[in-house]
Amino acid sequence: MLKLEKGIISSSQLTFLIASYIFGGVVSITYATQLAKHDNWLTILAGFALSLPFILVYTALARRFPDKNLIQIHDIIYGPYLGKLISASYLFFIFTILTSNLRYIGDFTLTYILPETPLSAIVILFTFVCAWGVRHGIEVIARMALTLVVFSAFLFLLTFLFLLKDMELTTFLPVFEVPLTEFIQATHIIVTIPICEIFIFLLVFPSLNKKQQLNRSVLLGLIIGTGYLFLTVVRNVAVLGPLIGITSAPSYEAVRLIDIGHFLTRLEVLFAIVLIIMSFLKSSILYYVLVLGIAQLLRLRSYLPLVFPLGIIGISFSVLMYDSSIEQAFVGSTIWPIYALPFEFLLPLLSLVLAKLRRLPKFQGGSR
Amino acid sequence: MTFLLILAFLGVALFEVPNLIRNKHWRELTFFSAFLAFAFLLSLLQILNVELPNPIRGIQYLIKDILHLNYS
């Protein structure tokens, strides 16, 4: 069997890829913010703790089948037919994540930066840049991730410092005010949308050069990404206070308040830059994983011919799938956590248990 | 609008197809054409304002009205 991806990434590059992927989820914590309000920072901590076991399931699966990606793992565990079916449903799930992301960035740009532009124009331009990155393979995306994460972390720290004088720590009080059901729902959103979506890296892990460092780099990436989300939420709560449950983009509203001596104002575009860069990385990774997975499922020799057709289908669906950003927020907070449940929690766990019970992978003549 | 769409798809086809034929990647060419035809159909119907089935609506229906698992 020919290997589809010849690129090799190092473990530190994997760390930054995962961190940037979770960074990219900064848009979706809004769904949780509207529920948990000023206790949102607690939901991030709870979500981090809850998602750890599942992340360990993914890495255990990846270490059990070091040279296989998710599609091949399904073929081995469930057999050729059921495995193909499960892989196809996974790819559909990844496709819907990708289109939601494209739609979100389109809606964000439409609302805050370019109000008169048609949605499809923004999405087409954004997808085209992603397609360019994807055609160059995982190595280029990984190298890009390192630079862009450092750059946007710098911009983030800058806005954090500028906002220090506006922060009031009393806005965190009273702690744990929200009802328990809403707290659970917000935690569920945090676990499924930004954090546990990194199961898609099961398709990237075979490109890693040092397989024994996999656990370490994944956990480090998880900590960096979640730490960034945590700092963002703490900043937003401290700056916005009770306003945080009302706005549709709290980070944007918080950065908008920067005012240094009436001279440094209207820096909200700094946050827009960070958001667009991070969404670009997240969408590129999703796009790459989707194209690679489909090429693997159809047993092609190269994934390059699928990049443009899939991008065009993605653009069409992202314009089609929601009528408005309100509907997207509604689906993101009530339907999506349930929809993601089988793909992120049940099936990986089932795969691992079945692989353990059937003592897979079997050794074949000395070489794995 | 339709003319622009056809132009864009011709551009994509001209970009990919010569390489595939030169390397004799017939299987890849088949799936490339299938996906591109699907994409063309989808975007053409969208431009002509035809109501298309929406997979997210289907998922919403499945979770909300059949399984009753959604958060209220």
Side-chain angles (χ1 to χ4, degrees):
Chain A
M1 181 81 204
L2 218 75
K3 226 181 148 191
L4 267 168
E5 173 60 61
K6 291 168 192 74
I8 299 284
I9 56 172
S10 71
S11 43
S12 64
Q13 280 173 335
L14 182 69
T15 305
F16 279 101
L17 271 178
I18 289 176
S20 69
Y21 191 87
I22 299 175
F23 265 40
V26 74
V27 298
S28 47
I29 55 170
T30 315
Y31 309 148
T33 310
Q34 281 160 354
L35 291 162
K37 305 207 168 59
H38 63 268
D39 283 333
N40 203 9
W41 60 282
L42 273 171
T43 64
I44 302 243
L45 290 183
F48 176 70
L50 276 175
S51 55
L52 262 183
F54 295 105
I55 307 291
L56 291 177
V57 167
Y58 308 152
T59 54
L61 207 56
R63 274 184 306 165
R64 216 170 169 83
F65 302 90
D67 296 324
K68 303 272 188 282
N69 64 29
L70 192 63
I71 312 291
Q72 292 163 313
I73 293 174
H74 285 152
D75 273 355
I76 294 172
I77 293 176
Y78 299 103
Y81 298 107
L82 189 61
K84 288 264 186 311
L85 189 71
I86 291 177
S87 303
S89 51
Y90 258 100
L91 290 173
F92 178 75
F93 179 55
I94 294 173
F95 178 72
T96 49
I97 306 176
L98 172 67
T99 48
S100 305
N101 268 291
L102 294 179
R103 178 60 192 245
Y104 192 94
I105 199 70
D107 270 337
F108 177 82
T109 319
L110 210 64
T111 319
Y112 289 104
I113 304 168
L114 300 166
E116 302 280 323
T117 319
L119 174 71
S120 47
I122 301 165
V123 176
I124 288 170
L125 288 175
F126 190 74
T127 316
F128 185 73
V129 181
C130 292
W132 198 5
V134 171
R135 281 187 70 88
H136 285 87
I138 189 69
E139 270 188 32
V140 172
I141 299 175
R143 262 180 266 144
M144 211 156 60
L146 178 62
T147 327
L148 293 181
V149 164
V150 172
F151 176 67
S152 45
F154 170 72
L155 285 186
F156 173 75
L157 280 180
L158 208 65
T159 56
F160 200 91
L161 286 179
F162 284 160
L163 279 171
L164 269 182
K165 74 181 175 57
D166 294 316
M167 289 187 189
E168 280 175 41
L169 293 179
T170 47
T171 52
F172 288 99
L173 299 171
V175 178
F176 214 76
E177 196 191 21
V178 289
L180 191 63
T181 49
E182 296 191 349
F183 186 78
I184 290 171
Q185 184 183 351
T187 312
H188 192 175
I189 294 169
I190 294 288
V191 171
T192 47
I193 299 181
I195 299 178
C196 274
E197 263 177 18
I198 64 170
F199 80 87
I200 63 154
F201 281 92
L202 279 170
L203 282 143
V204 179
F205 289 150
S207 308
L208 191 63
N209 62 354
K210 290 181 190 135
K211 297 279 181 343
Q212 62 273 23
Q213 291 181 354
L214 187 119
N215 244 355
R216 204 179 123 261
S217 48
V218 171
L219 289 180
L220 202 60
L222 183 70
I223 290 168
I224 296 174
T226 325
Y228 173 79
L229 288 184
F230 181 70
L231 281 179
T232 310
V233 168
V234 165
R235 180 194 72 189
N236 294 348
V237 173
V239 172
L240 290 176
L243 206 65
I244 193 165
I246 307 168
T247 57
S248 64
S251 306
Y252 194 81
E253 300 293 338
V255 176
R256 185 179 261 181
L257 293 177
I258 291 178
D259 185 359
I260 310 282
H262 299 301
F263 177 65
L264 268 180
T265 53
R266 306 202 43 136
L267 289 178
E268 61 263 27
V269 81
L270 284 185
F271 169 71
I273 292 170
V274 171
L275 182 64
I276 289 172
I277 287 174
M278 283 304 140
S279 298
F280 161 65
L281 273 175
K282 184 172 177 174
S283 308
S284 301
I285 298 165
L286 277 165
Y287 194 170
Y288 167 79
V289 162
L290 175 71
V291 174
L292 186 76
I294 291 178
Q296 180 82 57
L297 192 68
L298 301 173
R299 297 197 313 276
L300 304 185
R301 273 165 287 187
S302 155
Y303 64 86
L304 289 182
L306 294 181
V307 173
F308 281 121
L310 255 287
I312 296 166
I313 298 174
I315 293 167
S316 292
F317 267 103
S318 65
V319 176
L320 174 81
M321 70 197 298
Y322 302 118
D323 286 339
S324 63
S325 54
I326 313 288
E327 191 190 351
Q328 180 169 19
F330 174 75
V331 171
S333 61
T334 59
I335 309 282
W336 201 277
I338 312 285
Y339 170 44
L341 216 59
F343 300 105
E344 290 175 5
F345 304 147
L346 301 181
L347 281 173
L349 200 61
L350 187 68
S351 302
L352 187 66
V353 170
L354 280 180
K356 278 230 159 85
L357 287 180
R358 292 180 57 195
R359 296 202 172 73
L360 292 168
K362 296 187 176 75
F363 286 94
Q364 291 168 342
S367 69
R368 260 187 187 181
Chain B
M1 200 67 184
T2 322
F3 177 70
L4 274 179
L5 190 77
I6 293 171
L7 216 63
F9 276 85
L10 271 182
V12 172
L14 284 180
F15 186 76
E16 292 284 359
V17 170
N19 255 331
L20 290 176
I21 292 178
R22 208 172 297 140
N23 296 331
K24 297 200 170 60
H25 282 180
W26 304 122
R27 196 180 162 81
E28 283 78 1
L29 186 63
T30 321
F31 282 110
F32 169 74
S33 325
F35 275 109
L36 200 67
F38 180 63
F40 181 69
L41 201 68
L42 202 64
S43 30
L44 187 70
L45 288 178
Q46 228 167 357
I47 282 178
L48 299 176
N49 286 325
V50 179
E51 192 91 355
L52 291 170
N54 184 345
I56 294 292
R57 291 278 153 69
I59 291 157
Q60 242 171 307
Y61 182 71
L62 176 72
I63 289 174
K64 209 171 162 182
D65 299 328
I66 298 181
L67 299 174
H68 297 292
L69 278 173
N70 65 316
Y71 289 104
S72 55

